[in-house]
C-alpha cells in the first residue's frame, strides 16, 4: 500500500519531468503520451493531445512521484494541480477507501476497469483534496 503524489502540468510535463530527473539524478523515465493509447472508435483524439504526456513517474528517494499533462479543454489551476494516489494490492481496501472518501465529496470517475488497472477511480473529498485510487502494486501503479 502506498500514497503517491500525482502532479499535473499544462502542456510542459515532459520538460518538468526531465528537470526533476536531472535535479534528483534519476534515470530518464518512460513516458506514455495520449497518442500512444489504443484508439477508441467512439472518440477522436484531438491533434493537440497526441504528444502530451498521459503518464510518467520518477522514483525520488524511495517515493513514486507521478506526472501528466492535463487533457486539452480540462481545467488547469496552478496550486490545484496535485492529487494523492492511493495504491493497494487489496481490492476491498481500494473500494472501502473510495466509498468513504466520496462521502460529502465529488466523484470524477467511478471505480472501474482501465487499461492499467482492474479497479481505478478519481474523486475530490469533502475537504477539497483530490484522490486517485488504484488497485495494483506500487511498482506497476499507473
Amino acid at each position: 500500500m502506498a500514497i503517491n503524489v500525482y502532479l499535473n502540468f499544462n502542456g510542459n510535463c515532459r520538460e518538468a519531468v526531465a528537470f526533476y530527473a536531472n535535479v534528483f539524478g534519476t534515470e530518464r523515465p518512460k513516458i506514455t503520451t495520449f497518442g500512444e493509447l489504443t484508439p477508441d472508435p467512439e472518440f477522436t483524439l484531438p491533434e493537440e493531445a497526441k504528444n502530451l504526456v498521459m503518464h510518467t513517474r520518477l522514483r525520488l528517494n524511495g517515493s513514486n512521484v507521478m506526472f501528466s499533462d492535463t487533457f486539452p479543454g480540462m481545467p488547469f489551476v496552478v496550486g490545484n494541480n496535485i492529487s494523492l494516489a492511493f495504491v493497494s494490492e487489496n481490492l476491498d481496501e481500494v473500494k472501502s477507501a473510495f466509498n468513504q472518501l466520496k462521502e460529502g465529496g465529488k466523484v470524477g470517475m467511478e471505480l472501474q476497469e482501465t487499461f492499467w488497472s482492474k479497479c481505478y477511480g478519481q474523486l475530490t473529498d469533502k475537504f477539497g483534496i483530490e484522490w486517485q485510487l488504484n488497485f495494483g502494486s506500487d511498482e506497476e501503479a499507473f
Side-chain angles (χ1 to χ4, degrees):
M1 171 175 47
I3 303 256
N4 300 306
V5 176
Y6 207 110
L7 305 174
N8 294 98
F9 294 86
N10 197 22
N12 60 343
C13 181
R14 194 180 304 267
E15 176 186 354
V17 169
F19 173 76
Y20 295 128
N22 185 57
V23 167
F24 294 104
T26 68
E27 292 182 21
R28 288 281 215 198
K30 179 185 180 299
I31 292 177
T32 302
T33 65
F34 287 106
E36 293 174 302
L37 300 178
T38 304
D40 180 346
E42 296 181 25
F43 176 76
T44 302
L45 186 66
E47 195 61 39
E48 65 270 21
K50 290 183 178 176
N51 289 319
L52 293 176
V53 175
M54 196 225 64
H55 178 77
T56 189
R57 70 180 172 166
L58 295 174
R59 188 91 172 144
L60 302 179
N61 201 26
S63 296
N64 280 322
V65 179
M66 296 178 278
F67 305 80
S68 70
D69 281 311
T70 54
F71 197 79
M74 297 297 291
F76 177 84
V77 179
V78 173
N80 290 346
N81 54 324
I82 297 173
S83 61
L84 299 177
F86 176 80
V87 180
S88 176
E89 294 181 26
N90 181 323
L91 184 58
D92 291 334
E93 188 174 54
V94 171
K95 289 178 178 179
S96 176
F98 186 88
N99 289 326
Q100 291 178 70
L101 287 167
K102 77 178 184 181
E103 288 182 27
K106 182 180 176 188
V107 174
M109 181 179 177
E110 287 290 347
L111 288 175
Q112 60 191 269
E113 186 170 341
T114 64
F115 70 89
W116 68 85
S117 175
K118 295 287 183 196
C119 187
Y120 172 83
Q122 299 173 333
L123 60 85
T124 301
D125 71 19
K126 64 183 177 183
F127 300 106
I129 304 301
E130 293 185 27
W131 291 88
Q132 299 180 59
L133 292 95
N134 191 66
F135 171 65
S137 75
D138 192 37
E139 289 305 311
E140 63 189 18
F142 306 93

